[in-house]
Amino acid sequence: MALNIPGLVSLSVFFTLTLATGIWASWKSKKDQQNRNPTEMAIVGGRNINVFIGLFTATATWVGGAYINGTAEIVYLPSKGLLWVQAPVGFALSLVIGGFFFVNPMRSKNYVTVMDPLQETYGNVMGSLLFIPPLLGEVFWFAAILASLGATMRVILDIGGSLAILVSACTVILYTLLGGLYSVAYTDVIQLVFITLSLWVCIPFALVNSATESIYYTATHQSYQDPWIGKIEKQYLGRWLDDFFYLVLGSIPWQTYFQRVLSAASPGQARLISYLSGLGCFSMAIPSVLIGAVAASTDWNQTSYGLPSPLERGESAMILPLVLHYLCPAYISIAGLGAIAAAAMSSADSALLSAGSMFAHNIYRKILRKKATETEVLWAMRTSMLVFGAGAAGLAFYSSSVYDLWFLSGELVYALLFPQLCCALFAPSTNTYGSAAGFLVGLLLRVLAGEPALSIPPIICYPGCSLVNGTYSQLFPFKTFTMLLTLGTIIAVSYLAVVLFQRNLLPPQSLPQYPTRKQGYKSCSNIYGIFKPHTFLTTKETN
């Protein structure tokens, strides 16, 4: 295939426009920075992001390359189908639940990152441990996005995937370094508009292509493959539910989400942004569903793609760009390429900013350099983003393993971080002992469940575990089970630790030196993260 010159020019224009918008937003943030904390400006936009910009950036964060490509792929796959497309409903419910339950306690205390309540409740040591899963998740997410974009450009434009990865990474890193959340938020507006317009422009041409059967007919009737509506077999119901709860609850404890709602001017605006972005996230899946249905209804032998089909060639992950390229006129498919690039960058910049924010605020400022100036913290954030971005770009060249590592780290965030965040915000009796025990139990259970994608065999075989083609498959909802067990462990061990200390069964030397009643219980909770204010410790009891 020859080099797609018009597509290359189109992408160059898009990258230039995105970079220009990011640089303009950086200038705007510096203009608005007067009498404001520079670090807060970079991380949460000075808590001055309006509802319109907040809605766009929150929606664009979730509607990334994996979202639009993955939705189309699952609809296209004969073994899955529409009923297995859980992300639109899962993410929408996640944003609604986050707005209803989590926004108020986070925004009312003016937290800066998702790690703040965890460090405040459980101390810096546990905060450092809990920082690892989301950090890995953000870096692997950035790498997976770059890998996906590189593969798309290689197939559609016939250019080296490494070139696309390097150009995309440099563009994202540059404007995120310059403007922080302001640059990310304003470029998200441009990117979301690109995604919406480009995909909807392409869909009519794909639907009426002569090689495509009516998607209404193929939804329930077999044509070139099984009906694209799909089905959920009884033995897979447990896995379906597990994946659904993972998407709904596991999407909450991410800095990329809280960075948006914490940047709003008030808790009310933060809730509104969360609710509306849930609706936006759901509606943005419609074009991808239609494209996946078109792909499942197409006789690929009638196109220049030919046979075997994308499924048989192992290119089902590229089904969205393939539909745009082979079922739409050339001048229309160029617009679709802009949508793919926009979707990739809208999530990549969020992941990079999230990782840098947590490191600078929660690790550098609170642990490594407690007396650091605001300027120093800001430079630590920029340096960490540069390091994380370069590392992610390097990992992107190992695309298959990066995706697997991203999925595993996301599951660790669900199993370990979500119950910790719930307890820190809503269970006032939990303490560091419970947090540490929950972390160990959750990590152990998840590792022992195995990971087929990384060739890790299961030590614990849950009900329904089966060996298929030499690979063990867990059909039991073990991810949600692990999360619930972690939650129960935190609460139970926290209560046990309080009882044992009050009965003098825990040795005093194993505990921090607590302040007396006169010194105040709130400081005891904030400094050591062991007991909450209502735990009464007098001088006599501590002695």
Side-chain angles (χ1 to χ4, degrees), residues 97-110:
I97 292 172
F100 193 81
F101 292 102
F102 290 85
V103 165
N104 264 359
M106 292 289 291
R107 184 62 182 82
S108 62
K109 293 186 178 181
N110 286 329

Side-chain angles (χ1 to χ4, degrees), residues 482-521:
T482 301
M483 183 274 292
L484 292 174
L485 203 57
T486 301
L487 181 66
T489 301
I490 296 171
I491 296 172
V493 174
S494 295
Y495 175 78
L496 180 62
V498 173
V499 171
L500 291 178
F501 179 73
Q502 290 176 340
R503 295 183 180 181
N504 295 320
L505 295 177
L506 275 179
Q509 62 268 26
S510 68
L511 298 169
Q513 297 298 312
Y514 301 107
T516 63
R517 187 193 301 272
K518 293 182 179 179
Q519 290 173 308
Y521 308 110

Side-chain angles (χ1 to χ4, degrees), residues 139 142-143 173 385-396:
V139 172
F142 189 12
I173 292 171
M385 285 195 293
L386 188 61
V387 172
F388 295 148
L395 288 170

